[in-house]
Amino acid sequence: MAIDYIPHTGSDREAMLAALGLGSVDELFEDIPPALRLGRALDLPPALTEPELVAHLEELAAANAGARKVCFLGGGVYDHFIPSVVPYLAGRGEFATAYTPYQPEVSQGTLRAIFEFQTMIAELAGLDVANASMYDGATALAEAAFMAVNVARRERIVVLGGVHPEASQVLQTYAGGQGLPVTVVPVDPEEGTTDLKALDEVLAAGDVACVLIQQPNFYGCLEPAPEIARRAKAAGAMVVVSADPVSLGLLEAPGRYGADIVVGDGQSLGLPMAFGGPHFGFFACRAEHVRRLPGRIVGRTVDRQGREGYVLTLQTREQHIRRDRATSNICTNHSLMALAATIHLAALGPRGLRQLGELCLHKAHYLAERIEALPGFRRVFRASFFKEFVVACDRPGFDPAAAALEAGYLVGPDLGRWERERRGQLLVAVTERRTREQMDGLVAAWGVTA
């Protein structure tokens, strides 16, 4: 457990006060009104030595119940392994302490890292260009819908029912401020994927700007994305796909089956779960739409002497152009998190990303088969899935989430949080970190196999 601790000695404080032209610490704070000062010494316990302090902090950390549980949690944030090279390099001072490059061309290292990130995201998405990253996957999806509305010159936004309900809520909040209508297409209750007949009925009106797809969807199911894209295109609508980046090691790149815009959340690429953030969003599109792309874009060029260099090519945001012409209200990009993803992807390489996807796929299917063999348990949806699936238990009086927690396993979330009729149905996610012993342990906690 590494702890940075920099004590200031008395001589250090005197030197700083002298540099400020002050005679005492009281002079430093004399502008603070007396009524706002504590007026007494802090009531603190005696000082600890460094070994005692480290031991105390480790004891506090161990009190976090989740730290001792095996994680099968799904729903958008996943317990993937992070190679040690990622935090080591991303935590270097020149990266971790860097700020937004307002004089960007001076920050060649930062710009080059962003350029490499953009290149990797564009390749994963199967599209021409990517930006320097977004805040998160949900806001990236909303920005993509706005971009599609501007390009298509239509107003109706269609979001499939398999999109994460919280991302859908963010989208509707954004759209409400602009007065844009949002239509939600339901999922087939048996399959867990989009009801194509319902989609056709919505598209028939001829006023749809875009169709928003999540692949795999919130329930872990694989949408018939190429067919959805074909139908949307035939109706003159743009196609936006929110993709799990790990799945793109196995699944076809969305740009190759017709997606105009590809977004997603990058937490799976070298970032910890971190209680939900901070993470980053990614955003890629076709070249003809580049001037409507939100956020920043870093480009590579050469100077007059032929030397390679990196520049901010586009900054189509409200801080840099007239507010009425801004394509987005995104004020920055999550550079440090995007850098971690870049290191992570570089460490994996194409073959490693595919192997990662295969591990998630095979382990998830192993666990699903074991759970379905348990008395009273069933998989809720019939559609194919990647690393996540929904289970329900029809055993009276048995609470699978509580039983798992008591045995040391975290599962969920419970879909009743968003859909009352699905109360008791649990999302179960399986990443490459889960071992056979851990999966068998969860099955054992839920009962003896039939």
Side-chain angles (χ1 to χ4, degrees):
M1 183 176 182
I3 299 176
D4 292 329
Y5 180 61
I6 305 175
H8 293 140
T9 65
S11 58
D12 291 334
R13 289 192 289 271
E14 290 176 4
M16 288 187 281
L17 289 170
L20 294 171
L22 300 173
S24 67
V25 174
D26 289 337
E27 286 186 48
L28 178 63
F29 297 113
E30 66 180 3
D31 290 335
I32 299 176
L36 299 179
R37 302 180 193 179
L38 183 60
R40 60 173 176 78
L42 291 174
D43 184 15
L44 296 175
L48 300 176
T49 65
E50 184 175 353
E52 291 172 334
L53 177 60
V54 171
H56 177 60
L57 292 176
E58 289 175 343
E59 181 181 352
L60 293 177
N64 180 355
R68 300 192 300 274
K69 308 295 183 184
V70 177
C71 182
F72 289 96
L73 293 174
V77 179
Y78 305 99
D79 184 27
H80 284 287
F81 176 73
I82 301 174
S84 58
V85 67
V86 176
Y88 174 76
L89 292 178
R92 287 178 59 92
E94 57 263 54
F95 293 127
T97 62
Y99 190 59
T100 300
Y102 285 113
Q103 295 177 311
E105 282 65 47
V106 176
S107 306
Q108 285 294 296
T110 297
L111 294 184
R112 177 166 184 172
I114 293 174
F115 183 84
E116 298 295 342
F117 166 80
Q118 293 172 175
T119 303
M120 292 177 179
I121 294 300
E123 185 171 351
L124 281 177
L127 291 172
D128 304 312
V129 60
N131 73 6
S133 78
M134 308 286 282
Y135 293 128
D136 56 27
T139 52
L141 185 67
E143 295 279 1
F146 278 11
M147 178 176 166
V149 165
N150 290 330
V151 172
R153 298 187 181 279
R154 295 178 176 181
E155 292 192 344
R156 182 169 302 280
I157 300 168
V158 171
V159 57
L160 303 187
V163 169
H164 195 301
E166 292 176 359
S168 185
Q169 290 168 7
V170 170
L171 167 69
Q172 294 186 56
T173 299
Y174 270 57
Q178 297 290 326
L180 298 173
V182 177
T183 300
V184 179
V185 176
V187 299
D188 183 301
E190 301 295 328
E191 292 294 325
T193 55
T194 301
D195 184 332
L196 295 179
K197 290 183 179 179
L199 175 63
D200 287 341
E201 291 175 2
V202 173
L203 291 173
D207 64 345
V208 175
C210 59
V211 175
L212 309 184
I213 309 167
Q214 181 172 324
Q215 181 74 325
N217 69 20
F218 174 63
Y219 306 110
C221 299
L222 295 177
E223 293 277 2
E227 177 60 21
I228 294 171
R230 185 190 67 78
R231 297 185 185 208
K233 293 284 191 178
M238 297 184 70
V239 176
V240 178
V241 174
S242 177
D244 176 350
V246 172
S247 74
L248 296 178
L250 292 178
L251 303 180
E252 185 176 17
R256 298 197 181 98
Y257 57 74
D260 300 288
I261 304 170
V262 176
V263 300
D265 195 285
Q267 181 271 328
S268 296
L269 302 177
L271 297 178
M273 300 176 78
F275 300 96
H279 301 146
F280 73 91
F282 57 87
F283 195 119
C285 71
R286 299 190 182 279
E288 59 262 34
H289 308 314
V290 66
R291 289 198 171 273
R292 297 183 184 272
L293 188 65
R296 295 188 178 97
I297 305 173
V298 172
R300 183 170 59 191
T301 186
V302 293
D303 64 13
R304 292 179 180 177
Q305 299 176 350
R307 297 176 300 183
E308 186 178 85
Y310 297 86
V311 296
L312 276 185
T313 304
L314 289 175
Q315 301 177 84
T316 54
R317 61 202 187 119
E318 93 292 345
Q319 287 184 329
H320 293 279
I321 63 176
R322 294 197 300 272
R323 294 178 65 86
D324 60 332
R325 294 184 60 196
T327 62
S328 168
N329 67 355
I330 177 174
C331 295
T332 189
N333 60 292
H334 279 183
S335 291
L336 187 59
M337 277 65 77
L339 171 68
T342 306
I343 298 167
H344 185 72
L345 286 169
L348 285 176
R351 184 177 300 176
L353 184 63
R354 180 178 180 84
Q355 291 174 343
L356 172 58
E358 289 173 343
L359 285 170
C360 294
L361 175 72
H362 295 313
K363 291 186 176 191
H365 281 74
Y366 169 81
L367 180 58
E369 291 175 4
R370 292 294 315 276
I371 291 174
E372 285 190 284
L374 290 171
F377 278 84
R378 59 186 171 86
R379 193 162 66 88
V380 173
F381 300 115
R382 292 195 302 248
S384 299
F385 61 95
F386 173 51
K387 67 179 181 185
E388 196 168 12
F389 52 92
V390 181
V391 297
C393 178
D394 301 323
R395 201 184 301 169
F398 182 75
D399 184 344
L405 184 62
E406 185 177 354
Y409 302 96
L410 295 169
V411 295
D414 189 317
L415 297 187
R417 175 176 174 179
W418 300 280
E419 304 170 75
R420 290 184 180 179
E421 66 275 15
R422 297 199 180 280
R423 184 167 297 167
Q425 297 182 4
L426 300 173
L427 267 172
V428 179
V430 186
T431 69
E432 78 288 358
R433 293 195 67 188
R434 301 289 70 87
T435 65
R436 183 185 294 267
E437 291 75 19
Q438 291 170 342
M439 291 185 281
D440 291 346
L442 175 62
V443 172
W446 280 349
V448 181
T449 55

